[in-house]
């Protein structure tokens, strides 16, 4: 039974790690609903356990993105430093909420992301490729980093998912550049959130470790596919997945 459980979570981690790297979000937004819906986790425990998988996956994904396109260190630091400090506050807020209430908020959050991703992909008349540089000053990167860090602390893994559409639509950056910067923003937020969840005993190591090991085996494939697929298709697939997960969470 122990081996069966280990293999189950290992392959789940591999599946989620692949999709997380593909979308540049680390996989947490994908694994949390699965742990809640199919494995009976409450929302806080699911978020804390997901962080065990997401942190190493984000580190490896970030490395693979950086190898393909060098990350702008000034942008990355402007996003990640405020994200780190504000994420402590967000995680504290999440841990004080009732599990059912946090679950419903999380589902609505996914619906909003899904609607944005699908509508942006389907209804924009012209595809904007974006660039490696933004016309916005660093103060706006700091504001974005702090906001995403706070929200990422609440949802444990949402910082990168929020940052990517803002970096493309508002800041004018290319999709894959935005995804790599979103990962650099998310990493310190994830580390801070993990510390808070560990402090409150909201982590299941027996599940988190096989999830992490499985995810590490598939991250490279996800990054390679992200560079091969059209951005429009990526956004549609991502949005559809979030819609399904959000609906299942609300039904549950």
């Amino acid at each position: 039974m122990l081996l069966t459980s280990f293999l189950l979570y290992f392959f789940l981690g591999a599946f989620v790690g692949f999709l997380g790297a593909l979308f540049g979000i680390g996989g947490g937004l994908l694994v949390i609903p699965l742990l809640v819906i199919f494995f009976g986790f409450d929302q806080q425990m699911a978020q804390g356990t997901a962080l065990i998988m997401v942190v190493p996956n984000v580190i490896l994904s970030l490395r693979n993105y950086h190898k393909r396109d060098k990350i702008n260190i000034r942008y990355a630091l402007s996003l990640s430093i405020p994200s780190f400090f504000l994420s402590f506050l967000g995680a504290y807020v999440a841990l004080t909420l009732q599990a059912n209430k946090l679950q419903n908020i999380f589902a609505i959050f996914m619906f909003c992301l899904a609607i944005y991703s699908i509508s942006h992909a389907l209804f924009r008349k012209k595809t904007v490729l974006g660039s490696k540089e933004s016309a916005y000053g660093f103060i706006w990167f700091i504001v974005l980093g702090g906001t995403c860090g706070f929200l990422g602390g609440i949802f444990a893994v949402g910082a990168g998912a929020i940052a990517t559409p803002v970096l493309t639509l508002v800041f004018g950056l290319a999709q894959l550049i935005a995804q790599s910067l979103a990962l650099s923003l998310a990493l310190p937020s994830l580390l801070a959130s993990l510390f808070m969840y560990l402090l409150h005993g909201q982590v299941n190591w027996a599940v988190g470790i096989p999830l992490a090991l499985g995810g590490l085996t598939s991250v490279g494939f996800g990054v390679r596919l992200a560079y091969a697929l059209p951005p429009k298709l990526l956004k549609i697939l991502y949005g559809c997945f979030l819609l399904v997960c959000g609906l299942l969470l609300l039904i549950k």
Side-chain angles (χ1 to χ4, degrees):
M1 289 297 294
L2 288 176
L3 179 60
T4 302
S5 297
F6 180 91
L7 291 175
L8 174 63
Y9 290 120
F10 179 89
F11 287 114
L12 176 62
F15 171 70
V16 169
F18 170 78
L19 292 179
L22 175 64
F23 298 127
I25 57 173
L29 275 176
L30 313 180
V31 76
I32 288 172
L34 297 179
L35 291 176
V36 172
I37 295 164
F38 298 108
F39 296 94
F41 281 58
D42 66 36
Q43 188 69 25
Q44 279 98 338
M45 183 62 75
Q47 293 189 178
T49 302
L51 287 167
I52 299 297
M53 182 202 78
V54 172
V55 168
N57 282 2
V58 166
I59 293 173
L60 186 57
S61 297
L62 192 56
R63 176 178 175 271
N64 287 333
Y65 274 94
H66 185 64
K67 284 172 64 177
R68 289 178 173 268
D69 280 305
K70 298 296 181 183
I71 295 172
N72 187 314
I73 300 301
R74 293 180 300 164
Y75 287 164
L77 290 176
S78 299
L79 291 166
S80 61
I81 292 175
S83 170
F84 175 76
F85 290 105
L86 269 296
S87 61
F88 282 102
L89 179 60
Y92 174 77
V93 171
L95 289 164
T96 60
L97 292 174
Q98 293 180 354
N100 288 340
K101 183 179 293 186
L102 182 61
Q103 179 177 314
N104 290 335
I105 294 172
F106 188 81
I108 293 169
F109 171 69
M110 288 196 296
F111 272 120
C112 292
L113 288 177
I115 291 169
Y116 167 81
S117 296
I118 295 173
S119 61
H120 185 259
L122 292 178
F123 300 116
R124 290 202 71 174
K125 295 180 180 180
K126 182 180 179 181
T127 301
V128 179
L129 296 177
S131 66
K132 294 185 178 182
E133 299 290 334
S134 174
Y136 282 75
F138 286 103
I139 185 64
W140 293 107
F141 281 86
I142 292 171
V143 171
L144 176 62
T147 302
C148 291
F150 175 72
L151 294 174
I154 292 177
F155 300 119
V157 289
I162 302 166
T164 298
V166 176
L167 288 170
T168 53
L169 182 62
V170 179
F171 286 66
L173 295 174
Q175 178 71 24
L176 293 172
I177 298 298
Q179 289 187 187
S180 63
L181 284 173
L183 287 170
S184 67
L185 178 156
L187 181 57
S189 170
L190 293 169
L191 291 171
S193 298
L194 178 58
F195 173 78
M196 293 293 289
Y197 279 83
L198 286 171
L199 199 63
H200 288 79
Q202 294 288 352
V203 171
N204 187 324
W205 289 96
V207 174
I209 289 175
L211 284 174
L213 293 174
L216 291 174
T217 65
S218 60
V219 164
F221 298 104
V223 173
R224 283 198 287 273
L225 185 58
Y227 276 86
L229 291 179
K232 180 177 180 178
L233 179 59
L234 278 179
K235 289 181 179 179
I236 293 172
L237 292 175
Y238 177 44
C240 290
F241 186 89
L242 291 180
L243 279 175
V244 171
C245 289
L247 180 61
L248 289 174
L249 279 175
L250 287 178
I251 291 173
K252 181 178 175 64

